[in-house]
Amino acid sequence: MKVLWFLLSLILSLVVFSNGVSSNVSSRPATVNFGAVITFDSKLGRVAKIAIEEAVKDVNSNSRILGGTKLAVKMVDSNASGFIGLIEALQFMKMETVAFIGPHTTELARLMSPIADELQVPLLSYGATDASLSPIQFPFLVRTTQSDLYMMAAISEMIDYYGWKEVIAIYVDDDHGRNGIAALSDKLAERRCRIVFKEGLPPVSNLSHALITNVLVKITRSESRVIVLHTNPIVGLEILSEARHFEMMGSGFVWIATEWLSFYFDSSPSPLPQTTMDTMQGVLTLRQHTLDSERKRDFFSRWRKLTGGTIGLNTYGLYAYDTVFLVAHAIKTYLDQGGTISFSNFSKKQSAKGSSTMHLDAIKMFDGGKQLLRNILQTRFIGLTGPIEFNPERSLIYPSYDIINVAGTGFRRIGYWSNYSGLSVVPPEMLYSKPPNRSSENQRLYRVIWPGDPTVKPRGWVFQNNGKELRIGVPNRVSFREFVTLVKGTDIVKGFCIDVFTAALDLLPYGVPHKFIPYGDGLKNPSYNELVSLITADKFDAVVGEFAIMTNRTKIAEFTQPFAESGLVVVAPYKKLSSDGWAFLRPFSPRMWAVIAAFSLFLGIVVWILEHRINDEFRGPPRKQLITIFCFSFSSLFSAHRENTISTLGRFILLIWLFVVLIINSSYTASLSSILTLQKLYSSVTGIESLLESGDPIGCSVGSYAESYLHGVLKVPKSRLVPLGSPEEYVSALQRGPTKGGVAAVVHERPYMDLFLSRFCNFKIVGQEFTKNGWGFAFRRGSTLAEDVSTAILTLSENGDLQRIREKWLKRSDCSVESELELNRLHFRSFWGLFLTCGIAFLVALLIYFSQIIWKFRKYYPNEFNSTFKGSSQSRRLQMFLSFVNEKEPKIKRRKCKRRQMENSVNIEKAHEPPEQVQEKRN
């Protein structure tokens, strides 16, 4: 601000101002003045000058806007200089100016904004697109065009849409250029893309052919072939022209120009010279999207008559035209609100000393500036460009762009971008009435004619074939050399992983010069984590081998699609179980044998209860009845019981039990046959769970994924992990066991162990794989070569080449032993539902039986059942009930018949007695 005030003091000392205070107190002035700062000799300035003049004419000719008040514009030439533009802008201070329109450059907008803030005069810019022009920093600056922030968002979405990840940026090294590229970098980062190389060029006055040549040479040395030009027309066209001489406008290159190219097309007389068109064939560019309307078409016709075709109408001219109408509508609202066009001397805000020193007497400050600014931001109308309305961030609503492809003698629109719905071939205004849909399926653009006239989308990058070989690190293994091996005495590297990698490179549409560099001392296997980390240390460009894709590794390297499945397994020694004299007990677990015995005894008791009263075979002395129960219980397992059941309930539960016995016998027979005929294996370790619980030492390879997972994830102490280097060491440690200085088991990845077990058959994989991952090749973070190699690996998998390479190097196991180590015992958990059903049937039968017994006891002995005697009567009744239960059913029925006969005979005798005897008995 000190520099600004010094500049103001210098200028005002050279300009003669009139003293005093003037004000317009008329409530409805005849004329309202506003100023415009324009570069007259530029294409944008010439277009803006004509558009503003025509807009003023249209406003003044329409009485519905300002009524009897007229707009008057004072235009000054900035001469493409910020200093001169500032001096010219200060001339407005002698007039009663309510608003400034322009400038169209970011630099001059920054210089004029503090003046507008101090004088409270709204500054409306139709061309300052710099994204860094913040309304917080410049409160009186209103941008009446779209911010570069949205244009860079559109470019980043285009790059992501075509699948490119790295771009090159060339820009003019000024505020507008630097801030635009910064915005592009931020938007690319949101989509996991990045700028790999950027170069700023000096302004046109300092630009030379040598500088452009130097930049293009740097680009040719880069892998990326996607180039974003954020310059001005003069610099941009010079770059494209030089790029053509370097054969950089051919196949494989992608050129994306910002708005400057569409501005050049729209402003230049049509058609352009063919030589000019040849320099930009296939280039993509953007243009701010404006609504297609009858009013805009009429204005274009009017424009051609005004200019005679000497200069075209561009979007900045349309926005300049709408800016005048925006000011007019805001002034109308201001006057309708009772506002007055009045001004005050700026010197009143300063001290007397400051006023006399800096000669600020004649500077006018607009009294209604804040209210007019609010009206501008709240104004809504339909202009030539479409709806003019500001959002809370003071940006125009519905930012959108046309995406243009230069082809042939002109250009064609291949789609649109809008902040509402992203990329689309449908005009944005047709999508505003629908819910926003930015899904990848909804993003679409028409076909592009790329540089060199190919119809296939460029890959966007190339592998540099400039003599620099790709440095590929490979592990110098001492064990499991089938995966990667260094031929002794040579530099030749062979193995399964090497063959997969070279086969993938053969499928790429370009050559990849490379050199395998062994890593390790040849005495022990190197650490794979260290090998991957050397990519970030710039010792290797990639590493090839059996590298497990792990989270911590993916943070420092870019991995390809997995070319082999892997997972950690536990390998332990086993012993064979021979069929001894007690092999017949093995089909069932001890618990299962106990449950079978208990249910058999339960069956005998239930059947005895149900048959005791009606079946002579279940009666007799207590000793005989106990023997009967036991014999019936266990003979029922073989359907060999000699006692017959008579009762319905007894037969019912026996039928259910025989169904259970059928299943048990079948299962027992099958399991015993397996035990006696097949070889069984046994291991004290049954899986990773039992291994962790045992506390025994665990073998693993040094620096392997298994070691990292056991210690880092499963929290196994380092003291339990025994480093082993070769299959022979695995064998020795497993045979010694944990009690003799060996290990209980070895944990390693499945492919290694499959190869190990193909040679050593005394060990076995126990349990299941407890991790799932894959092997991949590692490249630098963001490497596009990793993506192409991944695609090649998928092709190898689909055409069968990957399987053929596997069969060449990795033999299958020759050991024909069982993979399961635990005996195929039958446990109770497999039969509990069957026994539960059987037990419920037993209980239901007993409940029905005792209900019938109680009913019969009540029927045959009603007096005893209903007696109310106390003490000994209760025990007597219980004894009678137990006796009734124990007594055979036919005897009870015969006794009941005798009792009824006796009662009948007594009743007959009573009936034949004389009445006198009866009376005597009663007395």
Side-chain angles (χ1 to χ4, degrees):
M1 291 302 295
K2 291 182 179 179
V3 175
L4 179 63
W5 287 120
F6 173 77
L7 183 61
L8 287 172
S9 176
L10 177 63
I11 294 170
L12 294 177
S13 63
L14 301 175
V15 181
V16 179
F17 294 102
S18 60
N19 295 327
V21 178
S22 63
S23 64
N24 190 339
V25 297
S26 172
S27 60
R28 204 76 180 182
T31 303
V32 177
N33 300 320
F34 73 93
V37 179
I38 301 173
T39 303
F40 289 163
D41 61 350
S42 68
K43 285 187 177 181
L44 195 153
R46 292 198 298 270
V47 170
K49 180 177 182 297
I50 299 172
I52 292 173
E53 291 173 345
E54 293 303 309
V56 172
K57 292 178 183 179
D58 292 343
V59 168
N60 291 335
S61 63
N62 189 345
S63 59
R64 291 178 299 178
I65 299 179
L66 289 176
T69 302
K70 301 294 182 179
L71 277 182
V73 58
K74 171 62 176 178
M75 295 188 184
V76 296
D77 185 8
S78 67
N79 199 24
S81 169
F83 181 76
I84 296 176
L86 181 59
I87 295 177
E88 294 293 339
L90 288 174
Q91 300 299 323
F92 291 133
M93 303 303 100
K94 297 187 296 182
M95 323 172 36
E96 296 176 344
T97 304
V98 300
F100 300 148
I101 292 182
H104 61 262
T105 63
T106 299
E107 292 78 3
L108 193 51
R110 289 181 182 276
L111 289 174
M112 290 186 61
S113 290
I115 298 176
D117 297 342
E118 290 293 335
L119 301 181
Q120 298 188 4
V121 176
L123 174 63
L124 295 87
S125 177
Y126 53 85
T129 59
D130 190 348
S132 66
L133 294 176
S134 168
I136 298 177
Q137 183 181 4
F138 307 112
F140 272 82
L141 174 64
V142 179
R143 193 194 335 253
T144 59
T145 186
Q146 300 295 351
S147 169
D148 281 345
L149 184 66
Y150 299 111
M151 180 175 60
M152 297 309 176
I155 293 175
S156 66
E157 290 197 33
M158 290 168 55
I159 291 170
D160 183 57
Y161 172 78
Y162 289 113
W164 303 316
K165 295 299 181 183
E166 297 180 345
V167 301
I168 295 172
I170 303 177
Y171 60 97
V172 174
D173 194 9
D174 55 16
D175 288 345
H176 179 251
R178 287 189 297 269
N179 294 331
I181 295 304
L184 176 62
S185 180
D186 293 340
K187 291 300 180 180
L188 287 173
E190 294 176 3
R191 300 184 174 276
R192 301 190 67 181
C193 305
R194 65 190 182 114
I195 298 175
V196 293
F197 173 74
K198 60 183 178 180
E199 186 74 23
L201 294 174
V204 178
S205 58
N206 298 325
L207 186 63
S208 66
H209 176 78
L211 287 174
I212 295 177
T213 301
N214 185 44
V215 170
L216 295 179
V217 169
K218 291 180 181 179
I219 293 176
T220 58
R221 295 174 180 174
S222 175
E223 291 185 358
S224 177
R225 287 296 181 262
V226 182
I227 306 164
V228 177
L229 284 180
H230 184 51
T231 62
N232 54 54
I234 298 177
V235 176
L237 291 175
E238 186 66 23
I239 292 174
L240 293 177
S241 178
E242 288 297 321
R244 187 184 179 197
H245 293 303
F246 276 85
E247 298 183 353
M248 297 174 63
M249 297 302 296
S251 178
F253 283 87
V254 179
W255 292 85
I256 302 176
T258 52
E259 279 186 301
W260 65 265
L261 185 56
S262 62
F263 166 79
Y264 175 77
F265 275 120
D266 294 337
S267 303
S268 301
S270 182
L272 291 173
Q274 188 58 45
T275 55
T276 303
M277 295 300 302
D278 290 341
T279 63
M280 59 184 72
Q281 290 295 306
V283 177
L284 294 174
T285 186
L286 295 95
R287 175 204 288 143
Q288 293 189 48
H289 176 72
T290 55
L291 181 66
D292 186 20
S293 62
E294 185 68 27
R295 184 184 173 194
K296 188 175 80 169
R297 289 192 291 269
D298 291 343
F299 189 77
F300 268 92
S301 299
R302 177 179 166 189
W303 183 271
R304 285 189 290 270
K305 294 178 181 179
L306 287 171
T307 61
T310 58
I311 188 170
L313 177 60
N314 52 56
T315 54
Y316 292 106
L318 296 175
Y319 278 112
Y321 181 92
D322 286 345
T323 301
V324 175
F325 272 81
L326 175 63
V327 173
H329 284 291
I331 293 174
K332 177 182 182 300
T333 304
Y334 175 76
L335 296 176
D336 292 342
Q337 293 170 345
T340 60
I341 307 300
S342 60
F343 297 84
S344 301
N345 276 357
F346 184 71
S347 59
K348 291 184 177 180
K349 296 182 61 178
Q350 309 297 322
S351 64
K353 181 178 179 180
S355 176
S356 60
T357 303
M358 301 188 67
H359 305 285
L360 303 178
D361 303 17
I363 297 181
K364 310 291 180 64
M365 185 175 66
F366 182 31
D367 296 333
K370 292 183 178 179
Q371 182 60 40
L372 181 61
L373 177 63
R374 285 193 294 268
N375 291 342
I376 289 173
L377 297 176
Q378 295 172 3
T379 297
R380 300 180 182 179
F381 70 98
I382 303 298
L384 293 181
T385 58
I388 300 297
E389 181 181 346
F390 294 93
N391 59 24
E393 287 77 29
R394 293 175 58 169
S395 297
L396 289 176
I397 62 171
Y398 302 142
S400 55
Y401 289 83
D402 299 340
I403 301 175
I404 297 170
N405 179 209
V406 182
T409 58
F411 56 86
R412 50 191 287 268
R413 184 169 50 207
I414 62 170
Y416 306 89
W417 176 90
S418 70
N419 196 44
Y420 184 78
S421 57
L423 301 175
S424 173
V425 294
V426 180
E429 54 268 13
M430 298 181 63
L431 300 175
Y432 294 145
S433 59
K434 302 177 182 179
N437 185 355
R438 306 197 65 148
S439 62
S440 57
E441 296 80 6
N442 197 56
Q443 305 299 295
R444 183 189 170 198
L445 293 174
Y446 288 125
R447 185 175 61 87
V448 177
I449 303 299
W450 302 102
D453 290 332
T455 57
V456 179
K457 175 185 74 70
R459 187 170 61 250
W461 74 281
V462 294
F463 185 83
Q464 290 301 304
N465 189 14
N466 54 6
K468 181 182 178 183
E469 293 180 322
L470 197 68
R471 300 167 300 170
I472 301 177
V474 294
N476 187 11
R477 296 193 59 88
V478 297
S479 63
F480 299 110
R481 297 168 65 87
E482 291 83 354
F483 296 103
V484 178
T485 180
L486 176 64
V487 180
K488 292 183 179 180
T490 67
D491 294 333
I492 301 175
V493 183
K494 301 169 60 178
F496 167 69
C497 299
I498 303 301
D499 281 4
V500 173
F501 181 73
T502 54
L505 293 186
D506 291 340
L507 294 177
L508 299 182
Y510 50 89
V512 181
H514 60 277
K515 178 181 180 181
F516 292 115
I517 304 175
Y519 177 77
D521 56 10
L523 302 177
K524 61 180 180 179
N525 294 328
S527 172
Y528 278 38
N529 288 334
E530 293 180 3
L531 192 51
V532 174
S533 65
L534 290 177
I535 297 177
T536 60
D538 198 32
K539 184 172 182 179
F540 298 124
D541 299 311
V543 291
V544 170
E546 63 281 24
F547 291 90
I549 303 175
M550 301 165 54
T551 303
N552 62 331
R553 293 177 181 174
T554 57
K555 293 178 180 179
I556 61 175
E558 189 82 25
F559 277 84
T560 65
Q561 174 80 14
F563 62 88
E565 293 183 357
S566 181
L568 295 181
V569 294
V570 179
V571 171
Y574 69 89
K575 62 181 179 179
K576 299 178 182 179
L577 293 177
S578 59
S579 298
D580 56 14
W582 299 98
F584 67 91
L585 294 176
R586 290 182 185 169
F588 291 142
S589 64
R591 184 181 180 186
M592 184 66 181
W593 282 117
V595 171
I596 293 174
F599 265 83
S600 299
L601 185 60
F602 188 27
L603 171 73
I605 295 173
V606 172
V607 171
W608 179 84
I609 292 173
L610 299 177
E611 298 289 328
H612 176 68
R613 298 183 66 253
I614 60 176
N615 193 339
D616 291 335
E617 294 181 354
F618 290 87
R619 300 186 63 81
R623 182 172 177 273
K624 177 184 177 183
Q625 294 185 46
L626 288 175
I627 293 174
T628 300
I629 291 174
F630 277 100
C631 290
F632 185 87
S633 297
F634 295 103
S635 62
S636 63
L637 288 172
F638 316 102
S639 301
H641 53 276
R642 62 185 182 85
E643 294 83 6
N644 295 320
T645 54
I646 299 175
S647 65
T648 303
L649 291 175
R651 292 176 178 176
F652 171 72
I653 65 169
L654 186 61
L655 179 65
I656 294 178
W657 176 249
L658 290 178
F659 175 73
V660 175
V661 169
L662 174 65
I663 297 176
I664 292 176
N665 287 340
S666 301
S667 303
Y668 177 84
T669 303
S671 180
L672 182 61
S673 299
S674 176
I675 290 174
L676 297 178
T677 58
L678 297 179
Q679 177 177 266
K680 293 299 175 181
L681 309 176
Y682 170 76
S683 173
S684 60
V685 179
T686 59
I688 186 62
E689 293 83 4
S690 64
L691 181 62
L692 295 177
E693 293 173 358
S694 67
D696 293 332
I698 303 172
C700 60
S701 181
V702 179
S704 65
Y705 167 55
E707 182 183 25
S708 302
Y709 188 85
L710 290 173
H711 180 66
V713 178
L714 299 183
K715 306 302 180 183
V716 178
K718 283 280 189 179
S719 58
R720 286 187 60 189
L721 301 179
V722 179
L724 302 174
S726 65
E728 290 72 20
E729 292 183 16
Y730 295 174
V731 173
S732 176
L734 288 171
Q735 288 177 343
R736 293 196 307 270
T739 59
K740 297 180 180 180
V743 297
V746 172
V747 176
H748 212 335
E749 295 179 73
R750 185 65 182 253
Y752 293 113
M753 292 296 95
D754 287 342
L755 198 59
F756 172 77
L757 295 176
S758 66
R759 296 173 52 194
F760 304 98
C761 298
N762 295 329
F763 310 97
K764 205 60 196 160
I765 294 176
V766 295
Q768 303 294 325
E769 291 185 20
F770 55 93
T771 65
K772 288 289 185 181
N773 55 23
W775 288 350
F777 306 129
F779 293 83
R780 294 181 184 275
R781 289 284 295 170
S783 172
T784 48
L785 183 59
E787 182 177 350
D788 286 357
V789 173
S790 294
T791 304
I793 290 173
L794 291 176
T795 303
L796 291 175
S797 178
E798 293 170 357
N799 61 22
D801 288 345
L802 188 60
Q803 182 61 29
R804 284 188 284 272
I805 297 174
R806 179 187 295 275
E807 292 173 355
K808 172 185 174 182
W809 288 98
L810 308 179
K811 297 180 181 179
R812 294 186 177 273
S813 174
D814 296 329
C815 305
S816 57
V817 293
E818 296 284 332
S819 60
E820 295 294 333
L821 295 182
E822 181 148 353
L823 293 175
N824 293 328
R825 284 187 171 182
L826 301 176
H827 296 271
F828 173 69
R829 60 178 176 267
S830 302
F831 299 93
W832 69 267
L834 193 63
F835 284 107
L836 177 63
T837 304
C838 186
I840 292 174
F842 288 0
L843 294 176
V844 171
L846 288 177
L847 180 62
I848 295 175
Y849 173 76
F850 280 113
S851 299
Q852 292 176 346
I853 289 296
I854 294 174
W855 179 80
K856 290 180 180 180
F857 180 70
R858 181 177 181 182
K859 176 180 178 181
Y860 294 150
Y861 300 98
N863 294 331
E864 288 79 357
F865 187 84
N866 297 323
S867 62
T868 58
F869 298 133
K870 309 284 185 176
S872 61
S873 299
Q874 297 290 340
S875 61
R876 178 172 173 270
R877 185 167 53 177
L878 179 60
Q879 291 176 0
M880 290 182 64
F881 178 73
L882 295 176
S883 176
F884 174 78
V885 172
N886 187 53
E887 201 167 13
K888 194 173 182 181
E889 183 77 16
K891 291 183 179 180
I892 296 175
K893 292 182 179 180
R894 288 196 296 271
R895 185 183 301 164
K896 183 64 176 179
C897 291
K898 290 180 180 180
R899 180 178 294 180
R900 288 181 178 176
Q901 291 176 0
M902 292 177 62
E903 291 177 353
N904 291 336
S905 62
V906 171
N907 291 335
I908 293 173
E909 290 177 358
K910 289 181 179 181
H912 290 85
E913 286 183 356
E916 296 81 2
Q917 294 180 1
V918 175
Q919 185 64 35
E920 288 178 0
K921 291 180 179 181
R922 291 177 178 176
N923 295 332

